[in-house]
Amino acid sequence: VSALAVHPTNKDIVFVGTGQLDYALKTAGTLRSINGGSTWCQIGPDWPPGVGHEFTQLIVLDFLVDGTTLWAATSKGLWSSPNALDAQTPCANVAWSLKGGLPQQSGTPEPVRQIFKSAWANATYYAAVVRAVVSSKNGWWRSVDSGATWQQPA
């Protein structure tokens, strides 16, 4: 287990991110429980177990647009799900999308280590991008439009 998040208003809905930061162990992706951890199911993002996508942080943020969004900072970019927090959504139907605008290397998203929502600005998020090598793209990136676009603050 590399990350843990609990639904902000329903403590029975719990999420676990799997994998290791050093990539020594493979991942089972994201798991969800809707009964306080008694049973679990795999909800994605859309990759099969054991392909090397390790979660580094899994954060459940505030209500957005039509409901709630689950964000996952991973070794392969920043992902979001608009329906993962809905207990009525079957595990197989949880949808994920890769958030664009963050750095890529040869078309592959760079690792995002953490994701935070600003406590002062409703649509502002911060993502920490950290590569194994020194890069000008390492560091904090900011979105002021709920993750639609990202810029590295000066």
Side-chain angles (χ1 to χ4, degrees):
V1 173
S2 59
L4 178 68
V6 179
H7 190 289
T9 60
N10 183 345
K11 63 181 174 58
D12 286 335
I13 301 176
V14 182
F15 301 90
V16 170
T18 63
Q20 290 288 336
L21 292 176
D22 63 5
Y23 309 125
L25 299 175
K26 300 301 180 192
T27 179
T30 303
L31 306 176
R32 178 180 74 177
S33 174
I34 59 172
N35 54 19
S38 294
T39 59
W40 296 87
C41 64
Q42 190 174 31
I43 62 168
D46 292 330
W47 56 68
V51 296
H53 293 74
E54 284 76 15
F55 278 81
T56 56
Q57 186 67 284
L58 185 73
I59 303 293
V60 178
L61 299 174
D62 290 337
F63 292 99
L64 300 170
V65 190
D66 293 324
T68 56
T69 299
L70 178 69
W71 296 76
T74 79
S75 61
K76 299 294 182 187
L78 181 62
W79 296 76
S80 66
S81 173
N83 64 348
L85 294 175
D86 181 359
Q88 302 304 310
T89 301
C91 290
N93 294 342
V94 171
W96 290 90
S97 62
L98 179 64
K99 301 306 278 185
L102 289 166
Q104 294 192 5
Q105 177 72 27
S106 301
T108 300
E110 294 286 1
V112 175
R113 301 291 182 185
Q114 292 181 312
I115 176 77
F116 294 99
K117 184 173 193 279
S118 172
W120 300 277
N122 192 39
T124 301
Y125 295 83
Y126 295 91
V129 175
V130 183
R131 295 181 63 202
V133 297
V134 176
S135 168
S136 63
K137 295 182 179 183
N138 283 347
W140 290 102
W141 288 71
R142 179 179 60 211
S143 172
V144 294
D145 54 11
S146 299
T149 61
W150 296 86
Q151 293 180 349
Q152 201 169 20

